[in-house]
Every structure is written in structure tokens, then in C-alpha cells.
Amino acid sequence: MIHHPVSRVLAAELPQHVGEAVEIDGWLHRFRELKSVSFMIIRDRSGLSQVVITGGYEAPPEESVLRIRGVVTANGQAPGGVEITDPTIEVLSRAEQLPPFDLYRPQVPGNLPTVLDHAQVTLRHPRLRAQQTLAAASIGGFRSTLDDHGFTEIHTPKVVESATESGANVFELDWFGRRAFLAQSPQFYKQIMVGVFERVYETGPVFRAEPHDTARHLAQYTSLDAEFGFIRDHQDVMIMVREVIAGMIQSVRTRATMELQLLDVELPKVPEEIPQLHFADAMRRLGKDDVDLAPADERALSAWAVEEYGSEFLFVTGYPMAKRPFYTQPEPGNPSYSNSFDLLFRGLELITGGQRLHRHGDYLAALAERGEPIQPYASYLDTFAYGMPPHGGFALGLERWVARLAGVDNVRLTTLFPRDLHRLSP
Amino acid sequence: MIHHPVSRVLAAELPQHVGEAVEIDGWLHRFRELKSVSFMIIRDRSGLSQVVITGGYEAPPEESVLRIRGVVTANGQAPGGVEITDPTIEVLSRAEQLPPFDLYRPQVPGNLPTVLDHAQVTLRHPRLRAQQTLAAASIGGFRSTLDDHGFTEIHTPKVVESATESGANVFELDWFGRRAFLAQSPQFYKQIMVGVFERVYETGPVFRAEPHDTARHLAQYTSLDAEFGFIRDHQDVMIMVREVIAGMIQSVRTRATMELQLLDVELPKVPEEIPQLHFADAMRRLGKDDVDLAPADERALSAWAVEEYGSEFLFVTGYPMAKRPFYTQPEPGNPSYSNSFDLLFRGLELITGGQRLHRHGDYLAALAERGEPIQPYASYLDTFAYGMPPHGGFALGLERWVARLAGVDNVRLTTLFPRDLHRLSP
């Protein structure tokens, strides 16, 4: 007689239990009926397991939730080298309808609206799910790297009084009868917090009322922001960026090993020193004379960095002040350029960062030069009158990072429940 | 001749450098001039250090940012047992004005508006800063405990189509010309994600249009949410809550040691099993007959748990269904009560949680019974038609936790930049 254990074993742990009676719980991922035998694939948080049923069985619809007791039996043909035999099956929760496509097929169908409209169930597809595991591992690596470097996590307001920073593209809000706006970034707050903690980071939602319906823009995305003081210039920020990217990749490598395999993702190598190219040199190389890089330029420079340095990462430094926000530190001796950078990764801008102004007078001058009023920035500007060190920072969009890493064309597919011009649900 | 090192030493590291020439960078926390000698206290991210100046010195205003080179000299009277002597002082950034109160005084003044209106500088006060360090350590402990238990971090929409869950108290938004609302909690999304990952958590902002001006409500706060499947009932959720609270406290103990001392905080002991009291028994004990606990009731029950069990934590279980949301699992055999709980800590409700319904039909019945329409919940409800396991979860407000821990009366003081009925800046 077999004594069943009270507690559950996960799919990934089954190989350690060969010969034992176990309980597995999970979703009916797939049911296949052959002549004299049927197979169930059960999905749980750790992976898939195979259950063999001899004789007939009237299976519930796929995605039903099952509790199965049986014996772990070695079988070289089965996933993980084991399968459950002699099962007793209990239906914990019977599915009433089938997903819009078979979740067990290797690929997600190309019909984007179907995938997104039914995200409440399509996210259960192992590939879509795996991308979210990459995201979780990445953000974990971001935080732990910065923790190790003496940064402190902060939480700043997502509703603000003035539509400042980037001017347009803000969502307007009714705040107890007053006009307010959703924050486009924690930029001002993270700079203020350098005065408190020297080194801070925030991981949280930001909002852009992007009227464009592109594959790389979202109206809400997860911004990974860092800012720190006592830097020499933007080169110190770039050194930290390199550490953070390496830490994120290391975290993905160790925390999402199975998912990397499933998605067939090759993790990029991070050079000890990421190559860099000044914006002026980039223009010469591209044979252009402009103040910004077009998407095609980013792709060309990225390809050049792979060829020249074997690096999938490239810093473009010194962007023209004309295209950078007012708080950017101009390049010493060359003030039409700036102490700022973008990090290109696999043909796309991934990170933007730089050194900021830190003297109160420099802020007043910068706003005056741009013909901007001071009042909307009052408490932010005030910070610099109290003494602030030279500082800088950077920001990275989590969804865009995962899209590049996993080779996904549309950033909506790396977001659980995307928000855009048209989409407010699920 | 002394050779100065190129790189900076932090205040906390100085005791390891006695006799060496070093550089320290930081804010001028305090300047004190005596007859023949002056003292500067320099504040950096690691703490305070003392600099001794013999002869006259015209110090810049407090909060100016300084770079000081000098020799580390042992002195039992100085903070940390060392001080910097023979200093060379460089002013990196001169403060142009003084904070609204002296940041070096041990206590923060009682005038709340002054403190909050000038948060961009008052947060530099070591006590206010220390509370934020407790918050950062707490959230770190929340995540690492759940990571260790196989949870996956998620990021859900903060803008939603329908003002559902709690009905009133939502902020309305203009979303590309459509009406939308700020999310009051990630409740529906975290339940959906149980179908994908089994175990999920989210740490992020939530929004409540609280028209009340109380010391314990904020219009934006940081919600720590967890949800997981394959539970027996709410007791499994309470076991996880106990683990998470213990993990948060352990993280605070190790990552905010200095801050605990500064704030004179005694960390609570977490019993192996946190005592619990059913709501019906709580009513009997209070000599009342009601469907909810008043603040005074929470204080009374908390005091009773300290007396009876020596525990600063108490679970009150089985709250009446009348006061719980529609997705709550009723108590088997006693359906006017529920499989839910609150965790009281030091006289206040800290955590709310419970088991949720998991069958599609139960949701339809629950909404029908409350006379609520189904349409606004469509994609959420749909999830349960695809097969969902028994599940439950809980939520904890970070600012309220820190307020209880540090013994702060007003939750605004544990928030960097609070948002409430009146406050939209800084």
C-alpha cells in the first residue's frame, strides 16, 4: 500500500523523488489521448510534468486545475526524465472555456490583438510567462547591484502639480477639484534625494501620453532610475551603468536559466569597459550633421560597435544641449554639447543619462536662456540653493530592455497589461 | 610630506584609517566656533565625521557641500572615536540659504507644515532620513522573503478603465479623451497573475481619493501586495504573512542598525505563531455587536494580545462578509463571516488579507447577490472561467508600517513627499 505525502512536490523537484508517491498540483497544460494510454502535461510554477494514464479517462478542459497523486517513475522520454504513473486525479477547479489559442504550442500566434485582449489567460503561455520572469530577474539585479554600491531605494509622487519636465505628453487629472498631472519620470525627486542619501534609486511606473502608436512606446512603463552625487562627470555615471547592466545580466543568468533556454536567448557579454563614441564623431561616421540620432543611425552605430569592438553595447556621449533637458551639464569648453550619454543595445537606445547641473545659479541661467518660467520648478530649484554636490544618473525602461534581450519586436508583448493610445484593459 | 589619496573615504570607514591622510566629502552639518579652535561636523551617506580647525576659519553656510583633505586622528571624545585634523577645505557648492530649522538639532520641530513644505531640505534631518532607511530596508526584506518562497515580482497598470473595487474614492483621469481612473490597488491583477506564476508580489504606488484629513491616510501610498495559489484557506496566507513580517524585521535589523539606534526603535518580536482571535470572539471580548472594529477596538485588542500572549501582533480573523469585498471567500458553515483577517500591530490595522473566491460561478453569484453589474469586471471574471486554484493574499502599507515601527504619529512624516487632500507639492 502506498502512503501519499501530505505536501506537494513541484514539477522541477520530481527527479529527486523517483520511486516515491507524491502529490503534484497545477494546470492541465495539455491532454493527449492515444489508443491505450493518455498523457497529461501539468504546468506549475516550476515547469511541466507528465502524467501517464492507462485505460480511458474523460479529461476536463485544458487549463483546469488538478491535484494528482501518483508514483514518480523514471522515463528517459519524458520531460525531466520522469513521469507520474498510477495517478489519482482530483479536479480542483474545472475550466469552463478554452483559451483563444492552444497554450501548449511552442509559438505565440502573431495576432497581437488576440494575445493582448486576452492577457488574463494568454500570459500563461510559457513564452510570454518566461519574458516576465526575465523582467523580474532583471529588476532584482538592478536593485541588488545598487544596494551593493550604497544606494537607497526611494518612492516618489506619481501625481504632480505642474506639467514641467518634458512639457507635452502628460496625462491630466482631477485632484480633489484641482488640476494635476501624472509624473513622466522621477527625475526632479531623485535629484532632490541625492541631497538626502547621496545615492538613490527608484523602480516604478511612469506615464507618457504618447499620441504615437509605435512598437516601442507605452503610455505606462516601468522606469528603473538611479541618481548619485560626488561624481567627477558623466563618465562616473557610465561606470555605474556598466556595473548595473552586468548585475542585471548576472541575475537573469542565475534566476531565469530555464526561461533563457526556452526563449533561446543568448545573453550579451558586457565588456569591462563599454566602448564609447562622442556625438560629433558619430555624426562624422554617419556622414550627417544633425542634433539627434534617428532609429536607423542607432542601428548603424550599434552594428559598427559589434564589428569594431565585438560589443553589443555602445555609449554615445556628448549629445547636443539643444536636445537635452535644461538640467543637463554642458560639456566643459564645448557648451553646445553636453556631459550626457545614451547607451545603445542591439540597435536601440536603452539608457539615457548624464551629469546634471548642481549650482542654483546655473539652473536659473539655464531656465532664463530657454525662456522658461521659474515658478513651476520652485521647490526643485530651491534644493540647489541648499547645497548640492556634482551629481548625475540614468534611467532605463524595463519593458524595452526585456524586448531587446528576448528579441521581441513589440514592447507591448513584454508588458503584462499594456496601456497605450487605444488600450485601457484588461 | 603627506600624499593625499585620490579616492574618498566615508565617515563610517574613518576608524580604519587612523594616522592616514584621507579625503572626505559631504555636507556641512554643523559649524561650531570656540575661542581657539573650530569644529565642523560633515554629513555623508554613511554618517557624521568631525573636523578640527585650529586658528580662524570663515565657514560657508551650513548645508554647503565640502571636500576636505586631512589626517585621521584618534580622539575618544569625537563621534566614532576619530576626527580629521590639519584639514584643507574646498567648497564644492556653497549653500545660499539656511534650512527652515537647524538640521543638527536632535529633534524635528513639531510644526508639521514647515517640515512638509520644505521636504526638499528637511528630509536631510538625520531622523527623517533614518525613517526612510527603515522603509527601504523593510521593502527589501519583503521582496527577499517572497523571492525565497518562489514568488515572482510583477508590474501592473496604475490606470484602469472602471472605478470598481472600492467604488468611491477614485481619482479620475483624461486618457486620450477617454475617462479613466487611478488604480486603488493591484488586487484584480495580482489574482489574475496567480494563474500565470502561482505566487506573485508587487510593490508600488496606489491611489485613494480620501476626502478625510487624518493622520493615517494618504492619497498615494506604497502598497506591498502578495497573492498565491494552492492554499487550503486563509490560515496558509497568515503563515506567509508571519514569514514576511519576520523577514522585514530581520532586514531592518541588519540594514538599518545605526538608524534603529538613532530613532531609539525597539524592534518587535515575531512569535513563531502569531496569536489569533475570531471576529465573533473579539466582539464578545469587547462587549459589542458590530460588523467592524473601531480604532479604539483595535487598540484594546492589541493591548490584550500583549498582556495575554506577550505579542505586539494579533490576527483578527473571520471578519463579517458585510464589510469585506465581493471576492472574499465566506467561512465554511458560517457564511456571514469570511476566511479573511487583519493583522493588528501596536494598536493599528497593518495588514488586510484572506482567501479569495476561485470558481467562476461563485463570482457571478457574489456579484448578483450584491446587485452589482458584471460588465465592469469582465476580463477579471473571465480569468476564473479558465481555471484558477484556491488562492489568497494580503496587502501592507509601507508608510503605515514605518510609522508604527518608528512610533511616528502622522503617516505623512514617513512619506518622502506626501500627497493628500491639500498637498500636491513639493
Side-chain angles (χ1 to χ4, degrees):
Chain A
M1 184 181 159
I2 290 163
H3 287 279
H4 290 295
V6 268
S7 72
R8 170 189 184 201
V9 171
L10 294 174
E13 302 163 343
L14 287 176
Q16 303 150 36
H17 294 268
V18 174
E20 294 174 26
V22 297
E23 171 188 316
I24 60 167
D25 297 350
W27 286 261
L28 179 55
H29 192 57
R30 186 175 191 184
F31 181 67
R32 271 195 315 149
E33 207 165 9
L34 304 184
K35 251 185 223 145
S36 62
V37 69
S38 303
F39 294 98
M40 294 202 298
I41 304 294
I42 302 296
R43 190 184 71 239
D44 69 18
R45 70 174 186 271
S46 74
L48 304 174
S49 47
Q50 179 167 295
V51 178
V52 187
I53 309 167
T54 50
Y57 177 65
E58 191 78 39
E62 272 144 5
E63 291 308 304
S64 293
V65 179
L66 307 181
R67 169 158 296 163
I68 294 164
R69 286 170 171 166
V71 179
V72 185
T73 307
N75 175 357
Q77 311 285 301
V82 293
E83 60 192 10
I84 304 285
T85 56
D86 198 16
T88 313
I89 300 162
E90 181 189 350
V91 179
L92 291 186
S93 189
R94 191 184 168 84
E96 296 174 16
Q97 58 187 357
L98 289 172
F101 53 85
D102 294 328
L103 298 182
Y104 59 79
R105 298 205 188 275
Q107 296 303 322
V108 177
N111 186 345
L112 193 65
T114 300
V115 176
L116 300 181
D117 289 348
H118 302 274
Q120 67 270 21
V121 65
T122 60
L123 285 167
R124 297 181 185 182
H125 189 287
R127 287 188 74 91
L128 292 176
R129 188 196 128 113
Q131 287 166 194
Q132 294 303 321
T133 308
L134 297 193
S138 298
I139 201 169
F142 176 87
R143 292 197 196 101
S144 63
T145 307
L146 291 171
D147 285 343
D148 290 347
H149 282 88
F151 283 68
T152 299
E153 181 172 1
I154 58 171
H155 307 279
T156 69
K158 301 308 160 202
V159 180
V160 293
E161 195 176 35
S162 325
T164 49
E165 214 200 322
S166 319
N169 298 356
V170 291
F171 289 108
E172 198 178 313
L173 196 74
D174 173 10
W175 186 267
F176 301 111
R178 284 165 71 184
R179 249 174 113 208
F181 304 92
L182 288 186
Q184 293 177 292
S185 91
Q187 180 64 36
F188 293 173
Y189 290 107
K190 68 177 179 170
Q191 285 187 257
I192 292 175
M193 292 307 293
V194 166
V196 178
F197 283 119
E198 276 189 37
R199 301 182 158 206
V200 295
Y201 68 82
E202 178 163 21
T203 58
V206 298
F207 306 90
R208 307 275 166 106
E210 281 287 347
H212 310 296
D213 208 353
T214 80
R216 62 194 253 191
H217 287 103
L218 292 166
Q220 177 191 320
Y221 69 87
T222 304
S223 184
L224 312 189
D225 271 273
E227 194 81 13
F228 60 111
F230 299 104
I231 61 172
R232 281 163 306 180
D233 57 26
H234 57 305
Q235 294 288 340
D236 279 350
V237 181
M238 290 155 66
I239 290 170
M240 192 66 77
V241 164
R242 193 257 162 218
E243 292 298 297
V244 166
I245 290 289
M248 289 170 70
I249 289 173
Q250 184 53 25
S251 175
V252 170
R253 195 190 313 280
T254 54
R255 294 171 64 170
T257 316
M258 212 172 67
E259 288 77 7
L260 289 172
Q261 266 188 318
L262 176 74
L263 297 171
D264 198 18
V265 167
E266 183 147 2
L267 287 174
K269 284 188 182 50
V270 190
E272 273 309 312
E273 203 171 318
I274 294 176
Q276 50 179 283
L277 186 66
H278 192 279
F279 189 88
D281 297 326
M283 282 296 129
R284 273 190 286 276
R285 176 158 298 282
L286 294 163
K288 294 179 71 171
D289 181 15
D290 205 344
V291 292
D292 208 353
L293 295 179
D297 299 335
E298 293 180 352
R299 286 193 294 274
L301 293 173
S302 240
W304 170 78
V306 169
E307 206 174 293
E308 187 75 14
Y309 299 102
S311 171
E312 296 196 271
F313 296 97
L314 174 68
F315 280 122
V316 178
T317 63
Y319 276 76
M321 279 299 290
K323 287 307 241 184
R324 290 302 208 189
F326 69 86
Y327 49 76
T328 309
Q329 178 79 39
E331 189 172 302
N334 208 358
S336 68
Y337 292 104
S338 68
N339 273 3
S340 74
F341 61 86
D342 275 8
L343 178 67
L344 306 185
F345 170 50
R346 294 185 177 167
L348 202 68
E349 170 243 313
L350 175 67
I351 289 183
T352 295
Q355 182 182 359
R356 329 299 186 183
L357 301 174
H358 65 278
R359 292 197 175 86
H360 189 230
D362 290 345
Y363 275 89
L364 300 183
L367 285 169
E369 198 186 324
R370 295 189 185 219
E372 283 210 52
I374 281 173
Q375 206 287 320
Y377 306 95
S379 56
Y380 169 61
L381 294 179
D382 192 45
T383 311
F384 303 97
Y386 288 117
M388 280 287 279
H391 65 283
F394 62 93
L396 182 167
L398 178 61
E399 296 81 359
R400 191 181 277 198
W401 159 250
V402 173
R404 285 290 89 186
L405 203 59
V408 174
D409 288 337
N410 196 310
V411 75
R412 284 169 187 75
L413 283 170
T414 60
T415 312
L416 288 179
F417 304 98
R419 291 291 179 264
D420 62 27
L421 191 51
H422 307 294
R423 193 167 288 280
L424 257 175
S425 79
Chain B
M1 185 181 159
I2 292 161
H3 287 277
H4 290 296
V6 267
S7 70
R8 170 188 184 200
V9 171
L10 293 174
E13 302 164 342
L14 287 176
Q16 302 151 37
H17 294 269
V18 174
E20 295 174 28
V22 299
E23 171 187 315
I24 59 167
D25 297 349
W27 286 261
L28 178 55
H29 192 56
R30 187 175 189 184
F31 181 68
R32 271 195 315 148
E33 209 166 7
L34 304 184
K35 252 187 222 143
S36 59
V37 67
S38 304
F39 294 98
M40 295 202 299
I41 303 295
I42 302 295
R43 189 183 72 239
D44 68 20
R45 70 174 184 271
S46 75
L48 304 175
S49 47
Q50 177 167 297
V51 178
V52 187
I53 308 167
T54 48
Y57 177 64
E58 191 79 38
E62 271 145 6
E63 290 307 304
S64 292
V65 179
L66 306 182
R67 170 159 294 164
I68 294 163
R69 287 171 170 165
V71 179
V72 184
T73 306
N75 175 357
Q77 311 285 302
V82 293
E83 60 191 10
I84 304 285
T85 55
D86 199 16
T88 314
I89 300 161
E90 180 188 352
V91 179
L92 291 185
S93 190
R94 191 184 169 85
E96 296 175 15
Q97 58 188 356
L98 289 173
F101 53 85
D102 294 328
L103 299 182
Y104 59 78
R105 297 205 189 274
Q107 297 302 323
V108 176
N111 186 345
L112 193 64
T114 300
V115 176
L116 300 181
D117 289 346
H118 301 275
Q120 67 270 21
V121 63
T122 59
L123 285 167
R124 298 181 184 183
H125 190 286
R127 287 187 76 91
L128 292 176
R129 189 195 127 113
Q131 287 166 195
Q132 295 302 320
T133 308
L134 298 192
S138 298
I139 201 169
F142 176 87
R143 293 197 196 99
S144 63
T145 306
L146 292 171
D147 285 343
D148 290 348
H149 282 88
F151 283 68
T152 299
E153 181 172 2
I154 58 171
H155 307 278
T156 69
K158 301 308 158 204
V159 180
V160 293
E161 195 176 35
S162 324
T164 50
E165 214 200 323
S166 320
N169 298 357
V170 291
F171 289 109
E172 198 179 314
L173 196 73
D174 173 11
W175 187 267
F176 300 111
R178 286 166 71 186
R179 249 175 113 207
F181 304 91
L182 288 186
Q184 293 176 291
S185 92
Q187 180 64 36
F188 294 173
Y189 289 107
K190 69 177 179 171
Q191 285 186 257
I192 292 174
M193 292 307 293
V194 166
V196 178
F197 283 119
E198 277 189 36
R199 301 183 158 206
V200 295
Y201 67 84
E202 179 163 19
T203 57
V206 298
F207 306 90
R208 306 277 166 106
E210 281 286 347
H212 310 296
D213 207 355
T214 81
R216 61 195 253 192
H217 289 104
L218 292 166
Q220 177 191 321
Y221 69 87
T222 304
S223 184
L224 312 189
D225 270 272
E227 195 81 11
F228 61 112
F230 299 104
I231 60 171
R232 283 163 305 181
D233 58 25
H234 58 305
Q235 295 287 339
D236 279 349
V237 181
M238 290 156 65
I239 290 169
M240 193 66 78
V241 164
R242 194 258 161 217
E243 292 299 297
V244 166
I245 290 288
M248 290 170 70
I249 289 173
Q250 183 52 26
S251 175
V252 169
R253 195 190 312 283
T254 55
R255 293 171 64 171
T257 317
M258 212 172 67
E259 288 77 7
L260 290 172
Q261 266 188 318
L262 177 73
L263 297 171
D264 198 18
V265 168
E266 185 147 359
L267 288 174
K269 284 188 183 51
V270 190
E272 273 310 313
E273 204 171 317
I274 293 175
Q276 48 178 284
L277 186 67
H278 192 280
F279 189 87
D281 297 325
M283 282 296 130
R284 272 190 287 278
R285 177 157 296 283
L286 294 163
K288 295 179 72 171
D289 183 15
D290 205 344
V291 292
D292 208 353
L293 295 179
D297 300 334
E298 294 181 352
R299 286 193 294 274
L301 293 173
S302 240
W304 170 78
V306 170
E307 207 173 295
E308 188 75 13
Y309 300 103
S311 170
E312 295 196 271
F313 296 97
L314 174 70
F315 280 121
V316 178
T317 64
Y319 276 76
M321 279 300 289
K323 286 308 243 185
R324 291 301 209 189
F326 69 87
Y327 48 77
T328 309
Q329 178 79 41
E331 190 172 300
N334 209 357
S336 69
Y337 293 103
S338 68
N339 273 2
S340 74
F341 62 85
D342 275 8
L343 178 67
L344 307 185
F345 171 50
R346 294 186 177 166
L348 202 67
E349 170 245 311
L350 175 67
I351 290 183
T352 295
Q355 183 183 0
R356 330 298 187 183
L357 302 174
H358 65 278
R359 292 196 175 87
H360 189 229
D362 291 345
Y363 275 90
L364 300 183
L367 285 168
E369 198 185 324
R370 296 189 184 219
E372 283 210 51
I374 280 171
Q375 206 288 320
Y377 306 95
S379 56
Y380 168 63
L381 294 178
D382 193 46
T383 311
F384 303 96
Y386 289 117
M388 280 288 280
H391 64 283
F394 61 93
L396 182 167
L398 179 62
E399 296 80 358
R400 192 182 276 198
W401 159 251
V402 173
R404 286 289 89 184
L405 204 58
V408 174
D409 290 335
N410 197 310
V411 75
R412 285 169 187 76
L413 283 170
T414 60
T415 313
L416 288 179
F417 305 98
R419 291 291 179 263
D420 63 27
L421 191 51
H422 306 294
R423 192 168 289 279
L424 259 175
S425 79

